[in-house]
Amino acid sequence: MLRSWPRAIAHVDADAFFASVEQAVHPELKGRPVITGAERGIVSAASYEAKARGVARGVPLHHVKKLCPDCVILPSDYETYSLYSKRMFEIMRRFSPIVEEYSIDEGFCELTGLRRLFHCDYRGIAARMQEAILTELDITASVGISLSKSLAKLCSKFRKPHGITAVGGRHIHLLLARTPLEKVWGFGSNTVALLAKHGLKNALDFVDRPESFASNLMGKIGRELWGELRGEYVYKVSAEDADRQLSISKTKTFTPPSADRNYVWARALRNLESACIKARRHGLAARRLVLHLRTQQFEGAGLEAKLVRASSSTNELVPVLAEMFEKIFKPGTLYRATGVVLAELADERPAQFTLFEDVGHALASERAFEAVDEIAERFGKHTIFLADGAVLSEQHAGERGLTAERKSRPLKGETKRQHLKLPLLRFNLRH
Amino acid sequence: MEIKIARSELQKGLGLVQGIVERKTTMPILANVLLSVEKKALSITATDLEVGINGSYAADVLSEGKITLHARSLYDIVRELPDDTIYLKVKDGNWVEIKCGKSNFKIVGLSPEEFPALPTRGNGQTQRIDATLLKEMIDRTAFAMSSDETRYNLNGIYADLSGGEDGKTIVMVATDGHRLSVMKREAGSGWSLPKGIIVPRKGVMELKKLAESGDDPVDIWADTKHLIVYRGNTTLVIRLIDGQFPPYEQVIPKKAKRVVSLGRNEFIHALKRVSVLSTDRSRGVKFSISPNNLDITASNPDIGEAREELAATYKGDAFEIGFNARYFIDALSSIDDEQAVMQLGDDTAPCVIYSEFDRGFTHVIMPMRL
């Protein structure tokens, strides 16, 4: 029999994060259906009021207008979202230093042994955490607490929004019996289909089988998930933050879609530039480069290339990207998004020089991009960009002319590029 | 097919092919060996379509014929049999009966018709080469081959068998893009085989094994597609890599700005000690060179740091340069010199290592930025 709390892992998941943040900075929107993603043409996030009306993520906006005519549709303001995200993780770190930022709106927190410090049980700690997030950020989050990351993640989904679900060792089976296979973190549709063939219906059926069943069917991952769901702490909460990223991905959707080769290429190039800027900021270099294009019909095409030497100098990667682009771009097809991924990231240093290339050239391009980054630091990102990107219209002004309010209404003394890194509340004082 | 053969002879023949048969193959026939009996001998053939080997062994032939059997299973059976004469007979439906002493096996094979034929020699003469020389040339280059599969043209040894101007000198080169090892040797005369062939890694390993298996010379033949090697009753057929080898001569620096020499053995051991503290992936160590002194340092944020001071012969200004310690250890271990002589440029230029005793050996290592 498993003890109730050999370990306590909390999963904090902000509810309808982007929409909640918009409601927090625009208090007049509270209680109203709010949607973000106006610049993408599809729903990025929907507030619970909108969800209640049947609006879900990824739904096209014209459809939303039919479903919910009084919906407030806003362009995304990622800068404010990431500021809120940072603050949410800061609040979590006040409780425990071991916090893993899993994505912009969810994270894990290792709470084992904190009961004595806070004079309450783990549910109580979760409630305090939730309370702090609500009072300080004015957004709600759902918290799940259990013995492993997988279980905690199931718990936080269990009651939403603003729920707390704590499942100790003695009660895992009750949770698992109510968890269909497809809800388990790490089970995709193929895995679910495979397990269903063996007569499994829910997560409890899976853990009731012997360990060898899981490892024979799904290998190492299967064995790990099997342990996680039985309350073993297999996947560690890793407090290392985004500095140790495995890949950097930059994808941008554009509306209206385009079949113009130069335009789509410029979009891909801009993503490459953004990804390289980020890689250089973290002192990382990529061994693998991925390009994908998405068509209007939501079909995707992608290619990846392995690089002879790890690099984050944009102009070293451009020829590789161009070659891949030529292979997958189909003339006459409408594209709606391009994405670039820098993968197999490793520290820039130490770097091994290679024999069959011009070392001087590589060093010169590295210095050039150091200068580009320095200029960007002072005058804004993409102040200097590769010439093929010139076909893109003014940066950040979406094709629909929609910009986040924070950017369209700068404070006195602010410029588009340089402004206070603070989210601003927007409401009018009435006397 | 029906034969009687000494267990030791059959075991030797099967042992030689084990490295070549594919374990995880999509073509089941490639996991098998072809046993074919003609005249007075049993011939054993295996191939993975890249490298093929054939050997013939004395046997008491009762009737001729062919069969293929699972290479691994047959070898395992033969190895465990008592040291006696083995009786082997093919029955209907590709079943084979094996008897030895009181042991009796019946195993099923695949039809010999399915077994791919090894490429055969085309026009032109074979060239004789001393086995020890061949082995030495492989030993001093093979370690620099690339194992990065995306750079397939570097996954082997480049060989120039044209003999050069005098028809005497042959060249072998290997590189992984970070280091380069070149061997030039006089090897008899009258060489006129192709100039730029690339022998794949697996072929190189089998060739080395063959060269090590005795002292009698080896005969080789090549065209642009295959290299065929004969030694005694054994034939090795290697499919060459179809690719361009980079222009290696261009990257060997012609002039040295700085020359440093020091005891080879002490140098290797110091490198091994210090590199314990270099990071796992890069194996980076720093050389700080000043007149008559070489300091090797390494540091690892997780463990600590190391420094070792070595006496060296060097005249010039003090400077620092980073290297992968592994590359120096590999290169210096492959030669027998008392002194290691390094020729260096600035901190982004390659380092060249020559051997005083083996004038044909040239090794180039690119530095690292630490």
Side-chain angles (χ1 to χ4, degrees), chain B residues 19 23 41 44 70 135 143-144 190 236-237 256 262 272 312 334 366:
Chain B
R23 301 261 156 72
I44 301 178
H70 190 260
K135 181 185 168 309
F143 63 87
L236 179 67
V237 184
L262 67 163
K272 282 184 178 169
S334 77
M366 278 307 273

Side-chain angles (χ1 to χ4, degrees), chain B residues 158-354:
Chain B
Y158 167 91
D160 176 355
L161 306 177
S162 65
E165 281 170 12
D166 53 4
K168 286 180 180 169
T169 313
I170 59 169
V171 186
M172 286 194 192
V173 188
T175 178
D176 59 7
H178 299 157
R179 53 179 165 168
L180 172 83
S181 207
V182 182
M183 274 295 282
K184 275 189 190 156
R185 277 294 180 86
E186 278 196 11
S189 59
W191 283 85
S192 59
L193 290 172
K195 188 173 166 133
I197 61 169
I198 307 174
V199 185
R201 173 180 289 272
K202 192 169 176 180
V204 169
M205 292 308 159
E206 291 302 325
L207 186 57
K208 188 181 158 196
K209 246 198 255 174
L210 195 68
E212 279 168 348
S213 65
D215 290 329
D216 39 320
V218 172
D219 292 309
I220 62 178
W221 176 91
D223 64 3
T224 53
K225 293 209 164 64
H226 296 97
L227 174 73
I228 303 181
V229 186
Y230 304 92
R231 172 169 221 189
N233 293 327
T234 310
T235 307
L236 179 67
V237 184
I238 301 165
R239 195 177 67 193
L240 301 171
I241 292 178
D242 182 15
Q244 278 287 325
F245 201 75
Y248 70 93
E249 278 167 316
Q250 290 174 16
V251 302
I252 305 172
K254 304 280 175 291
K255 269 199 296 189
K257 197 167 151 193
R258 302 175 161 106
V259 182
V260 182
S261 70
L262 67 163
R264 186 183 65 97
N265 247 325
E266 297 92 293
F267 193 23
I268 292 176
H269 288 297
L271 282 166
K272 282 184 178 169
R273 282 189 291 268
V274 173
S275 68
V276 171
L277 287 190
S278 61
T279 48
D280 298 340
R281 264 178 68 103
S282 70
R283 313 291 285 167
V285 296
K286 188 164 77 183
F287 293 173
S288 308
I289 301 168
S290 53
N292 296 328
N293 191 60
L294 181 129
D295 270 12
I296 313 172
T297 48
S299 71
N300 184 332
D302 298 331
I303 310 174
E305 49 188 53
R307 176 167 173 272
E308 189 146 341
E309 215 181 302
L310 292 165
T313 313
Y314 170 66
K315 286 184 202 113
D317 54 338
F319 83 111
E320 291 184 341
I321 186 166
F323 281 108
N324 180 333
R326 181 83 255 152
Y327 295 165
F328 271 86
I329 296 169
D330 283 348
L332 294 172
S333 305
S334 77
I335 52 176
D336 314 312
D337 297 45
E338 285 280 307
Q339 290 281 305
V341 182
M342 300 185 284
Q343 301 193 350
L344 294 149
D346 59 24
D347 66 351
T348 60
C351 167
V352 189
I353 298 172
Y354 293 106

Side-chain angles (χ1 to χ4, degrees), chain A residues 41-342:
Chain A
I42 55 166
V43 177
S44 284
S47 71
Y48 276 82
E49 295 82 3
K51 282 182 183 166
R53 309 272 285 271
V55 178
R57 272 190 69 161
V59 172
L61 292 180
H62 59 89
H63 201 63
V64 172
K65 284 172 192 148
K66 272 180 233 155
L67 272 175
C68 177
D70 55 335
C71 216
V72 181
I73 301 175
L74 298 169
S76 309
D77 176 6
Y78 291 107
E79 188 178 327
T80 302
Y81 305 155
S82 70
L83 288 167
Y84 266 79
S85 168
K86 253 184 210 157
R87 299 208 168 176
M88 184 175 90
F89 292 122
E90 273 164 24
I91 292 172
M92 287 164 68
R93 283 199 189 89
R94 270 188 240 154
F95 290 84
S96 161
I98 304 178
V99 169
E100 177 180 337
E101 299 181 14
Y102 186 69
S103 74
I104 192 164
D105 64 345
E106 55 178 310
F108 294 97
C109 188
E110 226 277 36
L111 300 179
T112 316
L114 292 178
R115 284 180 291 196
R116 188 177 297 164
L117 186 64
F118 288 93
H119 301 295
C120 64
D121 60 4
Y122 291 124
R123 178 186 291 272
I125 297 174
R128 285 198 202 183
M129 211 184 267
Q130 211 179 32
E131 178 69 22
I133 292 171
L134 182 65
T135 51
E136 293 176 35
L137 302 180
D138 202 15
I139 61 171
T140 64
S142 299
V143 187
I145 300 185
S146 196
L147 277 57
S148 66
K149 280 167 84 172
S150 301
L151 287 171
K153 203 161 156 85
L154 285 178
C155 289
S156 68
K157 297 273 178 298
F158 202 74
R159 272 187 207 99
K160 249 183 173 297
H162 203 54
I164 296 180
T165 309
V167 174
R170 285 176 223 282
H171 301 109
I172 292 174
H173 64 282
L174 299 175
L175 172 74
L176 293 182
R178 290 166 68 176
T179 306
L181 289 170
E182 62 271 18
K183 296 276 184 209
V184 176
W185 188 30
F187 282 4
S189 55
N190 280 311
T191 312
V192 171
L194 173 67
L195 295 174
K197 283 190 183 56
H198 289 267
L200 272 56
K201 289 191 188 66
N202 56 43
L204 185 63
D205 296 342
F206 179 66
V207 299
D208 276 347
R209 297 294 179 99
E211 183 178 341
S212 56
F213 171 81
S215 55
N216 289 344
L217 221 52
M218 296 164 61
K220 181 167 173 275
I221 304 275
R223 149 78 199 102
E224 286 168 355
L225 285 173
W226 183 86
E228 278 267 308
L229 292 176
R230 287 174 71 101
E232 254 178 68
Y233 182 52
V234 182
Y235 298 132
K236 304 285 181 265
V237 176
S238 77
E240 285 180 66
D241 60 357
D243 285 339
R244 293 287 340 153
Q245 299 194 46
L246 294 171
S247 68
I248 291 173
S249 164
K250 291 282 172 190
T251 302
K252 276 255 168 82
T253 308
F254 38 91
T255 42
S258 172
D260 178 355
R261 174 187 290 265
N262 293 340
Y263 181 80
V264 179
W265 166 243
R267 281 286 172 186
L269 202 59
R270 187 54 55 91
N271 285 331
L272 176 71
E273 288 179 299
S274 302
C276 287
I277 288 169
K278 189 166 177 187
R280 292 195 294 266
R281 195 168 61 231
H282 290 282
L284 296 170
R287 286 299 306 262
R288 211 148 52 80
L289 177 65
V290 184
L291 167 72
H292 52 90
L293 303 179
R294 198 159 64 227
T295 69
Q296 174 65 356
Q297 280 70 44
F298 285 91
E299 281 160 4
L303 263 185
E304 60 173 77
K306 204 163 180 230
L307 306 167
V308 169
R309 174 173 57 82
S311 174
S312 60
S313 292
T314 316
N315 65 337
E316 289 190 322
L317 301 178
V318 168
V320 185
L321 192 75
E323 200 180 311
M324 292 196 283
F325 186 82
E326 287 308 314
K327 280 190 183 137
I328 56 179
F329 181 83
K330 290 198 200 82
T333 308
L334 280 171
Y335 289 95
R336 65 189 308 278
T338 65
V340 168
V341 185
L342 299 181

Side-chain angles (χ1 to χ4, degrees), chain B residues 17-60:
Chain B
V17 305
Q18 292 303 316
I20 288 171
V21 282
E22 281 281 324
R23 301 261 156 72
K24 290 173 185 164
T25 171
T26 48
M27 285 173 70
I29 193 80
L30 298 184
N32 283 17
V33 282
L34 174 69
L35 306 178
S36 76
V37 175
E38 272 173 60
K39 292 168 196 159
K40 292 273 169 220
L42 166 71
S43 130
I44 301 178
T45 310
T47 178
D48 65 353
L49 299 180
E50 186 182 287
V51 181
I53 195 163
N54 169 277
S56 81
Y57 304 89
D60 189 358

Side-chain angles (χ1 to χ4, degrees), chain A residues 349-355 366, chain B residues 177-178 251 282 366-369:
Chain A
R349 304 280 174 82
Q352 171 74 53
F353 290 119
T354 58
L355 277 164
E366 194 186 287
Chain B
H178 299 157
V251 302
S282 70
M366 278 307 273
M368 280 181 114
R369 202 144 47 126

